[in-house]
């Protein structure tokens, strides 16, 4: 049985608010492993690859601008069913209604911006995880 992997990003709002440790703590406390970690300032080209599925949506350009607005932290986390498990830890996309107890539910809210700022990204399938990990960790 090969261990499942997911790509987690701490977005610029999470980094600027000093929540990198909090996000890592929750991943580790749940029992997943941190396999790789990197801080970077993403450029447009990298984000166009990462968010290819959202090209053309109304929030796409605000999303790219937001993700370029400051440093982010890319993490590969692993463990049985980690993709589903991290998305459960993160909570739903809209932080206003994300359940208390989740990263987004506890730590974020709608700020009235064009793109919702919700602290973290997590891959949504094994295919997305493999694709996204390659983008952020080409080696
Ligand atoms: P996810 O991050 O929960 O998987 P996606 O649908 O993949 O959500 O959207 C990527 C990111 O784009 C979200 O995390 C959020 O920051 C932003 N976003 C998604 N949908 C909306 C929307 O309807 N309005 C504003 N921002 C959105
Ligand atoms: Mg998504």
């Amino acid at each position: 049985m090969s261990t499942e992997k997911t790509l987690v990003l701490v977005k610029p709002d999470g980094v600027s608010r000093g929540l990198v440790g909090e996000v890592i703590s929750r991943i580790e406390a749940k029992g997943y492993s941190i396999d790789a970690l990197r801080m970077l300032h993403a450029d447009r080209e990298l984000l166009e690859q990462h968010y290819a599925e959202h090209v053309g949506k109304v929030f796409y350009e605000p999303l790219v601008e937001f993700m370029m607005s400051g440093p982010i932290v890319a993490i590969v986390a692993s463990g049985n069913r980690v993709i589903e498990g991290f998305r459960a830890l993160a909570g739903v996309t809209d932080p206003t209604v994300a359940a208390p107890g989740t990263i987004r539910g506890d730590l974020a809210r709608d700020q009235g911006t064009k793109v919702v700022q919700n602290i973290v990204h997590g891959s949504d399938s094994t295919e997305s995880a493999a694709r996204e990990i390659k983008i952020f960790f080409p080696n």
Side-chain angles (χ1 to χ4, degrees), residues 53-54 87 121-122 124:
E53 65 172 309
H54 295 308
R87 292 200 39 113
H121 164 84
D124 62 9

Side-chain angles (χ1 to χ4, degrees), residues 7-8 36-38 74-76 132-139:
L7 180 82
V8 172
L37 188 148
R38 166 182 179 222
I75 297 164
V76 178
E132 293 170 0
I133 288 168
K134 244 186 257 165
I135 294 169
F136 286 89
F137 296 90
N139 308 315

